[in-house]
Amino acid sequence: ETGVTQSPTHLIKTRGQQVTLRCSSQSGHNTVSWYQQALGQGPQFIFQYYREEENGRGNFPPRFSGLQFPNYSSELNVNALELDDSALYLCASSLGGLTETQYFGPGTRLLVL
Amino acid sequence: AQRVTQPEKLLSVFKGAPVELKCNYSYSGSPELFWYVQYSRQRLQLLLRHISRESIKGFTADLNKGETSFHLKKPFAQEEDSAMYYCALRASNTGNQFYFGTGTSLTVIP
């Protein structure tokens, strides 16, 4: 059984560019959540996907979008990058259901210049 | 609005001393509360959740609805407890979204 993996580990972009971050769920998990963690802050919920459908969204603008694939891996896309988008982006997978534990990936650190 | 507050950004205790990490929440529904921990150079992981009413690594946390608190406690701190601790709330009225506090960095002094 493999854990949650994320790629890339680090990324540098410039303002206005677009970025795609990737997440592979833990084996058997059908639910993926994405979080943004700014320096010195706790993770902030961006959205969740369950069986390829968006299943909840936090207070993030539409330029943050996502996808979940049939193998339950996931992408986070951010368009028109802003300086404030610089953060650690975490994904977490779970089996779904209200009592299931989330397992976090190591994160992708994005720097927007 | 849902909110999780951890009033202490930093907390230092001596080895063997009791430790309490504070967490208060604001939520209109029936909350589900969690503590997550991040050890140095490791990923965020679940420590415990209130519905399980279990003790993990000697830590316990009791949900107090009257005081809207979910403080994390351990009677005798160990050096390996040094880590970043996050309190989190899952809100069933907003699509089971998680709200995290800003975290408390615990240092256990040998």
Side-chain angles (χ1 to χ4, degrees):
Chain A
E1 184 181 279
T2 56
V4 179
T5 60
Q6 291 186 244
S7 63
T9 54
H10 297 84
L11 201 52
I12 300 175
K13 292 285 189 178
T14 55
R15 206 166 38 172
Q17 284 189 311
Q18 178 266 343
V19 69
T20 297
L21 310 181
R22 294 178 176 84
C23 172
S24 289
S25 306
Q26 186 158 316
S27 178
H29 286 185
N30 56 22
T31 302
V32 172
S33 301
W34 284 92
Y35 295 85
Q36 180 195 67
Q37 186 173 19
L39 207 58
Q41 301 297 315
Q44 279 199 62
F45 178 78
I46 303 175
F47 42 56
Q48 182 184 82
Y49 279 82
Y50 171 68
R51 292 186 174 180
E52 303 178 60
E53 296 286 332
E54 189 179 287
N55 188 37
R57 188 178 181 93
N59 190 25
F60 280 81
R63 59 190 185 84
F64 285 78
S65 63
L67 277 175
Q68 188 179 29
F69 300 100
N71 66 354
Y72 301 135
S73 65
S74 178
E75 286 182 354
L76 164 65
N77 298 289
V78 187
N79 293 321
L81 283 166
E82 301 177 358
L83 298 180
D84 285 349
D85 296 333
S86 296
L88 180 69
Y89 288 85
L90 298 168
C91 82
S93 74
S94 65
L95 274 169
L98 294 179
T99 60
E100 292 302 324
T101 299
Q102 290 190 106
Y103 292 86
F104 281 84
T108 293
R109 188 162 295 282
L110 172 65
L111 177 61
V112 182
L113 301 175
Chain B
Q2 290 76 225
R3 188 171 61 245
V4 175
T5 303
Q6 293 180 251
E8 305 137 330
K9 285 198 88 66
L10 302 170
L11 183 63
S12 296
V13 299
F14 285 100
K15 178 181 173 181
V19 61
E20 181 180 51
L21 290 85
K22 291 183 166 47
C23 172
N24 288 90
Y25 66 91
S26 172
Y27 181 56
S28 57
S30 183
E32 189 175 357
L33 276 298
F34 302 78
W35 277 99
Y36 282 82
V37 61
Q38 187 166 27
Y39 300 102
S40 179
R41 294 186 179 83
Q42 293 188 29
R43 59 188 67 186
L44 198 59
Q45 58 186 286
L46 178 67
L47 180 62
L48 54 79
R49 69 180 80 191
H50 91 271
I51 59 171
S52 301
R53 305 178 75 83
E54 58 198 344
S55 172
I56 304 292
K57 299 183 179 182
F59 284 98
T60 59
D62 291 319
L63 178 60
N64 186 322
K65 291 186 178 181
E67 296 182 358
T68 61
S69 69
F70 187 58
H71 302 327
L72 184 68
K73 300 176 184 179
K74 185 169 182 177
F76 307 104
Q78 303 298 314
E79 289 178 65
E80 56 266 28
D81 297 329
S82 295
M84 193 74 178
Y85 291 81
Y86 293 94
C87 182
L89 175 150
R90 178 156 60 189
S92 56
N93 64 355
T94 55
N96 296 314
Q97 181 175 157
F98 272 81
Y99 296 85
F100 281 80
T102 52
T104 297
S105 177
L106 174 66
T107 301
V108 180
I109 304 164

